[in-house]
Amino acid sequence: MRVPPVTVSRRALLLATPVLAVAACRDRAPSRPDPDAAAITAARDTERRLIDGYDAAGAARVADVHRAHLAALGDATPSPSPTPASDPQRLVRSSVAALQRAAIGAHSGQVAATLASIAASHSAGR
Amino acid sequence: MTVDEALQAALGVEHQAVYGYGLAAAHVSGRQYSAALTALADAEARRDRLADLLRRRGQDPAAAAPAYLPPTPVTGATSALALCLSLEHAAEGAAWDLVAASSPNDEVRTLGVRWLGVAATRAAKWAGASASAEPALPGRPG
């Protein structure tokens, strides 16, 4: 009997570009503001706070995970947060619900998937 | 990818998860056995929900294959844990696609967002058991 492999062929649509590449294009059209801009800005702020919080705690490897999140949100050269997280693990946990809400409501499917993925990473404790 | 295509792909992933977790559970014990059975029950419930969503959209849900071939032979606990991890990585990918293909605030989007969180959490646990590193962006293509 020939059986299909368990390894799944994952997707027909492969888009690995940062989300903000899309948002930046939209920003050039003044009559159509990006409906996801606020959600992206909020997610970026959280990631900046986490990066600075984990860096201050000497957890460089974990900070790198959040740098990857920030890069996926279109910010490859992060600026310091004015309010670094004093308890980054707590912020990771508390950010999940807001990120999931933002993902559910996002207009762009790619923005939604990126926010959902970051929420998933946070819910997994990263 | 359309919503219907993403739903069918997700259903295929859950058919495989049901088979794969059943296979893996036979090779682990204790807490890992319990975790595999919980994951199996979740996969069965999600499979049924995905099939229902497809029917409500006028689609025929794809049936499960009689059997599936694991990426590597499952001969003991280590290879069983590797299979569990690969099942959750496949789930992450399918959930990402559901989210990306769906519309804001609809049932499919909500299902995909929550599933991605569950799969990433479960993958982290299986990865911890098998000492492998997890990606920063679960489910992301590339």
Side-chain angles (χ1 to χ4, degrees):
Chain A
M1 177 175 56
R2 188 164 192 277
V3 292
V6 167
T7 300
V8 179
S9 78
R10 291 201 353 192
R11 58 193 87 240
L13 176 68
L14 300 178
L15 289 175
T17 53
V19 172
L20 258 285
V22 177
C25 294
R26 288 186 188 140
D27 287 346
R28 294 193 194 100
S31 61
R32 302 191 66 173
D34 180 359
D36 297 327
I40 293 166
T41 299
R44 282 172 161 186
D45 288 346
T46 298
E47 294 306 321
R48 285 196 194 100
R49 293 186 65 203
L50 289 170
I51 291 165
D52 291 348
Y54 278 120
D55 276 340
R61 223 176 58 133
V62 188
D64 285 346
V65 169
H66 296 285
R67 284 192 183 87
H69 292 170
L70 192 57
L73 292 164
D75 189 348
T77 52
S79 54
S81 166
T83 54
S86 56
D87 185 348
Q89 286 182 320
R90 185 174 177 180
L91 178 56
V92 163
R93 287 192 298 272
S94 66
S95 66
V96 172
L99 284 164
Q100 288 188 329
R101 277 197 303 275
I104 289 168
H107 285 68
S108 158
Q110 290 299 308
V111 170
T114 299
L115 292 171
S117 180
I118 293 170
S121 176
H122 287 196
S123 67
R126 297 193 288 270
Chain B
M1 179 178 272
T2 67
V3 178
D4 290 338
E5 289 168 345
L7 283 166
Q8 289 285 13
L11 177 60
V13 165
E14 289 302 59
H15 281 320
Q16 297 189 25
V18 168
Y19 182 91
Y21 272 116
L23 175 63
H27 293 274
V28 293
S29 58
R31 276 189 290 183
Q32 290 171 347
Y33 176 75
S34 299
L37 289 189
T38 301
L40 171 58
D42 284 355
E44 287 173 332
R46 198 172 296 104
R47 172 201 64 193
D48 293 346
R49 185 162 176 210
L50 289 163
D52 182 55
L53 279 166
L54 280 160
R55 282 190 207 97
R56 282 158 47 195
R57 295 175 62 86
Q59 303 293 310
D60 287 331
Y68 296 88
L69 183 65
T72 55
V74 178
T75 55
T78 301
S79 51
L81 292 173
L83 174 61
C84 294
L85 182 58
S86 72
L87 292 170
E88 294 304 335
H89 284 166
E92 289 170 349
W96 172 293
D97 288 344
L98 270 189
V99 173
S102 57
S103 301
N105 299 308
D106 79 0
E107 189 177 359
V108 176
R109 173 72 64 83
T110 303
L111 171 66
V113 168
R114 295 195 175 139
W115 185 19
L116 188 45
V118 169
T121 301
R122 207 163 261 152
K125 288 180 180 166
W126 293 129
S130 64
S132 69
E134 284 303 279
L137 287 156
R140 183 178 178 172

